[in-house]
Each structure stands twice: as structure tokens, then as C-alpha cells.
Amino acid sequence: MLAFILCTPSFGGEKTQLIFTDIVDQLPSSIVAQRVLRTAYQRMGIGITFLLVPNLRTKTLLENHEVDGMSYRFSDAPIQNLVKLSVPITSEDFCVYTVDKKFVVNGYQSLRPYSIGYLNGARIFDDNLKEMRTETAPSEESLLRKLSAGRTDLVIESRASLCTAKKLGLNNVVMLEPSLESVQGYHWLSPVHQNLIPKLEQILKEMARDGTIKKIQRQVWDDYNADCANVK
């Protein structure tokens, strides 16, 4: 499938089908980003495809120029051969999950006494958890199962991960309030497509201004909350 997409014809020197990586665990923030980008690129007459891969696989695909960028990411740390667009397209509440630890979440330093689990390749956590006891895992499910089994004290994940824990039957996992951090996600594009950026940013600004992005966010979260409410 990847080879087929990479061979799509070009129009006016620009590919008519672009490929962006996205995370394997399709949380609401990912779905929001995908819907926003589909709408924006559609207005430009360009189709897009999302390749769902682990964070560490994304790096290889980018280095080999096999994809055209990333759907979104929360870290602002520069990535070689990628350009960050200026308009946020999604957002996330990162929350702390535990089984038996009770404390007030107050920034990353409040986590220092504990062992902390998070996803492989999540740069935002790599940067904020330096010199703390950490353990990474390849998926949201793996993180939550290790937490439930007592192999880590805490896990940092999306607010939506509470529903995942319920679906997995991990009823001993609880989410602490308030959230650890609220962040915005931005689209990252290969410099090969630098000519698209001015028009794309203009469209995204219009979508933010006319409420299209907020409407997409609201619909995705309404669907998520309805689905989660049905989990026994």
C-alpha cells in the first residue's frame, strides 16, 4: 500500500496524494488532527493518507523520505527535514494515572518520587522527565497493563486513556486531577512541500476563525464520551 501511494502522479509538480504518519493508538486528539487536515488539504485539491506507526518507526520513515510529514506532534523540539506549521490543529490534556499513589499533581517535578511510564519516542516526555525514573512502552495498552500490574507507579497519557483502561477491564487504574499539562498539537511538513505552507496556513487560520476546528473537536469528543459511557 505504501509503495502504491508513493507512486501517485503529480499535478503541477506537486503530488496529489500525501502521506503523514500518525500514532497507532487512535485517541481523540489524533482523530481531530486527521479530520482537520483532511478538510484543509481537500480545499487545496490534495488527498492525504495517514500511516499509523509507532513513534520510533516514524523517525525511520522520515529519514528515508518515505512520508511527507507528521499529522501532528506536541513537542516543539526541531526535527531535521520537517517544518512546523504555525496554526494548532489539535490539543491534549496529559494526565497522570496510578493504582495506589495519592498526591496533588503540580507539574512534572511533582512526579519525581515515583517510577513513570510513557510511550516510546514521546519527545515531550523525554525532555520533561530527565533524570527521573522512567520506563517506556510501545503502546497505550502496554503502559496501562504494566501500571495495573504494579510494574510502574505512574503513567502519563491522554485524558482519553481512562476509557481505554475501562475497556481493558483495568478497574484498579485511576486518573489523578488536575491534569499534568494541556498542550497544542501542530502539523509538520517536509520542506519538499514548502510551497504548500502559505496556502495551507491561510486555510487553517480560516478554519480556526470560522469555528470549523472547534466544531470538529466537539464532534470527536462527543463521540468519544458517548462510546466511553457505554463501557461497562
Side-chain angles (χ1 to χ4, degrees):
M1 179 179 176
L2 180 58
F4 172 78
I5 294 170
L6 288 171
C7 292
T8 52
S10 62
F11 177 76
E14 186 63 56
K15 289 200 301 184
T16 58
Q17 184 78 26
L18 303 182
I19 312 169
F20 302 120
T21 61
D22 205 321
I23 62 173
V24 173
D25 299 311
Q26 288 291 279
L27 299 168
S29 53
S30 293
I31 297 170
V32 168
Q34 291 174 19
R35 291 187 184 179
V36 169
L37 291 177
R38 285 191 193 281
T39 301
Y41 278 99
Q42 185 177 43
R43 294 182 184 182
M44 298 173 67
I46 297 173
I48 59 176
T49 298
F50 297 100
L51 195 61
L52 308 185
V53 294
N55 286 330
L56 297 181
R57 175 65 176 148
T58 293
K59 182 179 179 182
T60 302
L61 292 169
L62 291 169
E63 288 174 348
N64 294 337
H65 306 287
E66 296 180 62
V67 293
D68 298 292
M70 299 176 69
S71 171
Y72 72 98
R73 68 193 290 259
F74 295 118
S75 173
D76 286 331
I79 301 182
Q80 189 175 5
N81 297 324
L82 283 186
V83 179
K84 174 189 168 186
L85 273 70
S86 65
V87 185
I89 61 170
T90 191
S91 60
E92 187 66 86
D93 272 1
F94 287 126
C95 296
V96 177
Y97 292 87
T98 186
V99 169
D100 57 3
K101 307 304 178 188
K102 296 181 180 180
F103 65 99
V104 176
V105 177
N106 184 22
Y108 285 91
Q109 288 303 312
S110 66
L111 313 184
R112 185 170 288 279
Y114 309 101
S115 60
I116 309 157
Y118 65 95
L119 282 180
N120 287 340
R123 179 65 182 271
I124 190 169
F125 300 142
D126 288 340
D127 293 341
N128 284 298
L129 298 173
K130 287 179 180 177
E131 300 179 3
M132 297 190 199
R133 289 182 293 144
T134 61
E135 184 173 346
T136 60
S139 69
E140 177 195 26
E141 179 176 340
S142 177
L143 281 174
L144 294 171
R145 289 195 182 281
K146 289 167 74 172
L147 175 65
S148 179
R151 293 172 58 189
T152 55
D153 296 327
L154 310 174
V155 155
I156 305 175
E157 251 302 339
S158 162
R159 181 173 291 276
S161 296
L162 185 60
C163 187
T164 303
K166 289 173 62 178
K167 289 179 178 180
L168 294 172
L170 305 178
N171 298 319
N172 60 340
V173 172
V174 296
M175 185 179 72
L176 300 180
E177 293 282 13
S179 61
L180 176 65
E181 183 179 19
S182 295
V183 295
Q184 293 183 315
Y186 296 82
H187 184 41
W188 291 69
L189 191 62
S190 168
V192 171
H193 306 295
Q194 188 102 20
N195 61 309
L196 297 179
I197 292 178
K199 180 63 175 177
L200 182 57
E201 287 194 329
Q202 178 186 340
I203 290 172
L204 289 172
K205 287 176 182 177
E206 290 172 358
M207 290 173 63
R209 192 161 45 240
D210 67 17
T212 300
I213 293 178
K214 284 188 176 179
K215 182 178 179 181
I216 290 171
Q217 290 173 329
R218 186 165 55 250
Q219 183 61 61
V220 169
W221 276 99
D222 284 349
D223 291 346
Y224 159 79
N225 288 327
D227 178 60
C228 196
N230 292 326
V231 179
K232 304 301 182 182

